[in-house]
Amino acid sequence: MGRLRSSYQRIPPGEPVRLAKRSSNLFRPRTEIERPGLDVSGLTGVISVDVEARTADVQGMCTYEDLVAATLPHGLTPMVVPQLKTITLGGAVTGLGIESSSFRAGLPHESVLELDILTGAGDLVTARPDGEHAELFRTFPNSYGTLGYATRLKIELDRISPYVALRHVQLGLDQLAPVIEEIIASGMYDDEPVHFVDGVAFSPSEAYLTLGRNSDAAVRTSDYTGQQIYYRSIQQRPKDFLTAHDYLWRWDTDWFWCSAAFGAQKPLVRRLWPKRWRRSDVFHKLVGLENRYQVAARINRRRGKPDRERVIQDVEIPVTRLAGFLRWFDAEVGMRPVWLCPLRLRGSAAWPLYPLEPGTTYVNVGFWGTVPIAPGARDGDVNRRIEQAVAEFDGHKSLYSDAYYDRDTFDRLYNVPALTEVKKRYDPDARLTGLYEKAVTRR
């Protein structure tokens, strides 16, 4: 903590406070600033795991990869483990994290019991659901560092068995909602318990829900860190077994399906590509290099191909509107596959900055790729249409990637007036960049 405080004091008054962090899972480029940032290099570990209480004390910059490595030997896991290994616990709580346990376990911030936050004023406070800093505790999720940075979090843990048994159930678009609601209501499907649910829509006529259950034994486990590719197995086999470790990281090896953009799914390339470099953070760095140097973009222009718009988004759609949104997306965007992940808030109260309705089932629809920019169109037009459609379908959009809202719309959707009131207390000199400035103007 001394290193963190010292780095804060070295930032000149009036200058914005940012993390001096080498890696990120955000997909919005930001304006480069040649100024010192907060040194968080000493905040990357797991402090302790209480097996009996099923809790863990974790530093804010600890990755889920390291957190799972500490809890899994005890048959425990965070309540929600986001799909990518280098997402940090603090990042998932101040941003948003969703995975296949979210239909019963909610979002990562709902399993936080207390957390220490370095505020924009330079104070270190402990925020809990009640007490002096309760308002900060409830406003911190989805604030993306605009109120401060989590340095320590105490979280609930969940039990997990050594193996996860999977069923890939093919359904029509109109069948998705009733099956999801049935599973949420009963915790069962076809007389078997369901502990994990996500899915993939490969085309307008081919969608799957993958139902996972904890298992103490497996006939034979699959390995998707080698030549086999996990998402393709969904179409190829109705049942599967994975170790708990491999299940939690099943999407990381190929960054869902996005590794295809780098040739990593071609058999020869895959054999030559070292396993240690076949992971999401490596692919993310390659995207960063392309954003910086535009090598592929320049080659495409020389070949006479149109420029491409990046469409990397996760949106939450009410389950009752899911089929309609997917049909709209197929007709207007046409990007496939897309990820489907049901979620519900665990508690009975909404969280101010990401106003999902308690008691309502949503489905996270994730789509990540690029589309050609049509003649006469602007870069960003497809994303703008998606933002409008999400609102029309009563949904909400995550802020880890590009956003194009005007300020009034953004302030309404993300409850910026509530954030502003809390910032008056914890960041009175506006040392931390505002949410609109971060998410839309990319500061």
Side-chain angles (χ1 to χ4, degrees), residues 262-282:
F262 310 101
Q265 294 183 25
K266 296 179 179 178
L268 178 59
V269 175
R270 198 170 185 85
R271 281 195 293 270
L272 297 175
W273 194 308
K275 274 190 178 184
R276 67 183 183 277
W277 292 346
R278 222 182 294 150
R279 45 184 285 146
S280 60
D281 53 338
V282 173

Side-chain angles (χ1 to χ4, degrees), residues 15-16 18 31-36 443:
E15 297 291 345
R18 282 187 176 181
T31 304
E32 293 293 335
I33 295 180
E34 296 296 329
R35 300 186 185 104
R443 285 172 52 188

Side-chain angles (χ1 to χ4, degrees), residues 242-275:
L242 294 173
T243 65
H245 176 276
D246 286 354
Y247 176 76
L248 294 175
W249 303 128
R250 67 201 182 283
W251 292 119
D252 189 86
T253 300
D254 284 286
W255 212 13
F256 285 81
W257 34 80
C258 297
S259 66
F262 310 101
Q265 294 183 25
K266 296 179 179 178
L268 178 59
V269 175
R270 198 170 185 85
R271 281 195 293 270
L272 297 175
W273 194 308
K275 274 190 178 184

Side-chain angles (χ1 to χ4, degrees), residues 10-11 97 124 182 191 248 255 285 294 322 335:
R10 286 196 297 270
I11 300 173
L124 189 65
E182 174 192 338
D191 299 323
L248 294 175
W255 212 13
K285 289 175 183 176
Q294 297 287 299
L322 176 63
M335 184 185 294

Side-chain angles (χ1 to χ4, degrees), residues 131-148:
E132 181 183 359
H133 303 293
E135 187 178 37
L136 176 62
F137 182 91
R138 292 205 64 80
T139 312
F140 192 74
N142 213 53
S143 64
Y144 281 91
T146 61
L147 292 173

Side-chain angles (χ1 to χ4, degrees), residues 290 294-302 305-308:
E290 171 60 22
Q294 297 287 299
V295 175
R298 289 201 298 268
I299 292 173
N300 281 338
R301 291 187 196 114
R302 288 173 186 165
K305 295 182 178 180
D307 288 339
R308 299 187 70 84

